[in-house]
Amino acid sequence: MRLFPLVLLLAVTTAFSQKPVPKKTSGNPLFPGWYADPEGVIFNKTWWVYPTYSAPFDEQVHFDAFSSPDLLTWTKHPRILDSSAVKWVRRALWAPAIVEKSGKYYLFFGANDIHHPDREVGGIGVAVADRPEGPFRDYLGKPLVGEIHNGAQPIDQFVFQDKTGQYYLIYGGWGHCNIARLKDDFTGVLPFTDGTTFREITPKGYVEGPLMFVRKGKYYFMWSEGGWTGPNYSVAYAVADSPFGPFERVGKILQQDPAVARGAGHHSVVQVPGTDEWYIFYHRRPLTETDGNHRETCVERMYFDEKGGILPVKLTMEGVPGRRLK
């Protein structure tokens, strides 16, 4: 009988001494909910993800954002922009891209899924805010790009700054990709020296979702291939000495793993400042889901070989280790 209080005391002491095991990897998906086309970025030593709210087009009329100090715990910032703040938008906000410039945050987005610009208003818009979590407001009162140039539907915009500091808009659906020089205040586009405004830089296999970055003096151009609702959705890339190419397709680096998930694509890439450490944010569809809108945002490390080639990315359920920024 005298042993019972001692055993009970030991049990209680052990229970209180077992602290929760800290989360060591991000896990995939990064956060709950159906989200696609994630734009990953670092602002003020904080990780941010700006995805598409993945729903039927008539319901896909707002953006949420997510922030994290370490890639492990995420805070949701709901409705940083919705269609009520952009009078010309009636449906289908998607594929946000964001840039910080001179203390302002510029959110570029596609809207309305236009097919006939002569009869429809829509295309690529811009919103602006004083903070990365918004709230964002319409910047131009009209689309930045609202017409079809070189056969490219005005969707899936990406904003890129080259080695000289010039900002470019890279965009396009329907199997065509354009690049245009942005005005310094993002209110429009500037002509090139030959007088043209939109140059086509479409590589073989391109479908949508363009992205560009510079590493060791080379321009890496990435895009999505296949159908966005199908298992063959994937990411390929090319490398050139200029943002205008020519871009010769190298191959796929992200695609489905039948044991993990389908439809892996429409990504973004983040480099940790001052390092050669790279992350790829992308969406994929769980094996159990058949609805085209049921997509989740995930992250993996992205590596290069000694010649600068991008190594194939392995889809995981673990995600990446926690990473605080200094």
Side-chain angles (χ1 to χ4, degrees):
M1 294 295 293
R2 286 183 295 175
L3 290 177
F4 178 76
L6 179 60
V7 172
L8 181 60
L9 177 62
L10 287 172
V12 172
T13 302
T14 301
F16 277 99
S17 66
Q18 291 179 340
K19 297 180 180 180
V21 177
K23 187 180 181 183
K24 296 182 179 180
T25 60
S26 63
N28 278 326
L30 285 179
F31 33 77
W34 302 126
Y35 291 98
D37 317 326
E39 168 88 338
V41 66
I42 293 171
F43 290 137
N44 304 319
K45 299 181 181 180
T46 299
W47 299 88
W48 286 84
V49 174
Y50 297 82
T52 297
Y53 171 64
S54 191
F57 270 4
D58 289 335
E59 301 172 23
Q60 192 175 284
V61 290
H62 76 274
F63 288 124
D64 300 326
F66 298 83
S67 64
S68 173
D70 54 10
L71 288 175
L72 304 180
T73 57
W74 292 87
T75 299
K76 180 178 178 179
H77 306 274
R79 294 186 175 271
I80 62 168
L81 176 71
D82 65 43
S83 58
S84 66
V86 188
K87 300 305 181 184
W88 55 269
V89 170
R90 61 183 178 83
R91 68 195 295 257
L93 290 170
W94 81 95
I98 191 164
V99 172
E100 185 276 327
K101 188 174 188 294
S102 302
K104 298 286 187 180
Y105 296 86
Y106 296 88
L107 188 73
F108 296 74
F109 57 90
N112 292 352
D113 187 35
I114 62 169
H115 291 247
H116 306 284
D118 57 329
R119 303 196 300 268
E120 302 171 285
V121 175
I124 296 169
V126 190
V128 66
D130 297 320
R131 301 178 300 173
E133 66 270 31
F136 285 84
R137 60 189 182 278
D138 189 12
Y139 183 51
L140 302 177
K142 62 181 181 179
L144 173 68
V145 180
E147 298 180 349
I148 308 298
H149 300 278
N150 303 320
Q153 187 187 26
I155 65 168
D156 288 5
Q157 58 292 317
F158 178 75
V159 179
F160 168 72
Q161 187 178 29
D162 72 4
K163 293 180 289 185
T164 71
Q166 173 67 52
Y167 284 94
Y168 293 91
L169 180 72
I170 303 172
Y171 74 93
W174 296 345
H176 294 273
C177 184
N178 287 334
I179 185 169
R181 296 174 63 216
L182 283 167
K183 291 182 178 179
D184 191 58
D185 59 2
F186 301 148
T187 58
V189 297
L190 297 168
F192 294 104
T193 55
D194 63 0
T196 61
T197 308
F198 295 89
R199 287 186 181 176
E200 185 166 4
I201 55 170
T202 308
K204 183 179 180 180
Y206 175 90
V207 174
E208 60 190 18
L211 177 146
M212 192 175 289
F213 65 88
V214 178
R215 179 181 183 267
K216 296 186 177 180
K218 296 290 186 179
Y219 288 83
Y220 288 75
F221 181 36
M222 307 179 78
W223 63 89
S224 291
E225 301 181 341
W228 73 272
T229 60
N232 63 336
Y233 206 49
S234 53
V235 170
Y237 82 103
V239 185
D241 296 320
S242 160
F244 310 110
F247 291 104
E248 295 294 330
R249 185 182 184 278
V250 177
K252 293 181 188 293
I253 59 96
L254 181 75
Q255 57 189 316
Q256 73 161 353
D257 181 336
V260 180
R262 301 186 183 94
H266 205 129
H267 71 303
S268 60
V269 168
V270 177
Q271 178 187 16
V272 175
T275 76
D276 196 31
E277 186 178 338
W278 298 78
Y279 294 80
I280 181 169
F281 293 81
Y282 66 99
H283 75 240
R284 68 194 193 195
R285 186 169 294 104
L287 296 175
T288 56
E289 295 295 332
T290 57
D291 189 321
N293 294 303
H294 287 181
R295 298 169 289 176
E296 299 177 316
T297 290
C298 300
V299 65
E300 314 287 358
R301 282 292 303 272
M302 192 175 81
Y303 297 96
F304 300 82
D305 64 25
E306 64 277 5
K307 295 182 179 180
I310 303 175
L311 296 175
V313 176
K314 178 178 173 56
L315 272 59
T316 71
M317 301 300 294
E318 295 79 18
V320 298
R323 179 65 159 90
R324 286 188 176 272
L325 302 166
K326 297 179 181 180

